[in-house]
Amino acid sequence: MPKGKISIEIIARGDQAQDICPEMVVEIDEYKIDSISVCSSSWRKYNLQHSVDKGWHEIKIFFINDYAGPEGDRNLYIKKIILKRVIEKCKKRRL
């Protein structure tokens, strides 16, 4: 991956239990990018941006609040992860 800003699009949905949404934590190279509540039971896009150095990177998504019991079964579903390079437009200078 080239150096620069990347867009991370995660398509996810969740099942609530105890009126609490599933929580996912997104990391790149063991650095926490964000913690996201996934309250939609339908597939939804969650977008993040992060700057990276040139080279290979490890992306991890953790489901941090699993629950199964008499009050329900909380689950997180990940359908797809899409990575894109963000190309920033140059600002025009006035002469």
Side-chain angles (χ1 to χ4, degrees):
M1 185 169 291
K3 180 179 179 172
K5 192 176 279 188
I6 60 168
S7 166
I8 306 164
E9 182 179 285
I10 302 166
I11 300 173
R13 68 179 179 88
D15 298 330
Q16 294 185 28
Q18 299 176 307
D19 293 325
I20 299 171
C21 299
E23 286 281 327
M24 68 176 164
V25 170
V26 181
E27 287 186 359
I28 296 181
D29 299 329
E30 298 183 22
Y31 176 80
K32 181 180 172 181
I33 304 302
D34 206 352
S35 179
I36 301 167
S37 292
V38 180
C39 295
S40 177
S41 60
S42 306
W43 295 113
R44 181 173 172 245
K45 293 179 185 178
Y46 298 88
N47 294 298
L48 306 167
Q49 287 193 352
H50 187 69
S51 294
V52 295
D53 291 327
K54 182 178 180 180
W56 292 95
H57 300 280
E58 186 174 58
I59 297 174
K60 294 180 182 178
I61 298 176
F62 297 94
F63 174 29
I64 62 168
N65 66 338
D66 193 16
Y67 173 84
E71 297 176 38
D73 187 6
R74 187 177 310 120
N75 295 294
L76 173 67
Y77 304 94
I78 306 289
K79 183 176 187 178
K80 190 184 294 188
I81 302 168
I82 301 165
L83 301 176
K84 295 179 185 176
R85 183 174 167 201
V86 176
I87 300 172
E88 297 183 20
K89 295 179 181 177
C90 295
K91 293 183 180 179
K92 293 182 180 181
R93 281 188 176 180
R94 290 187 141 186
L95 299 175

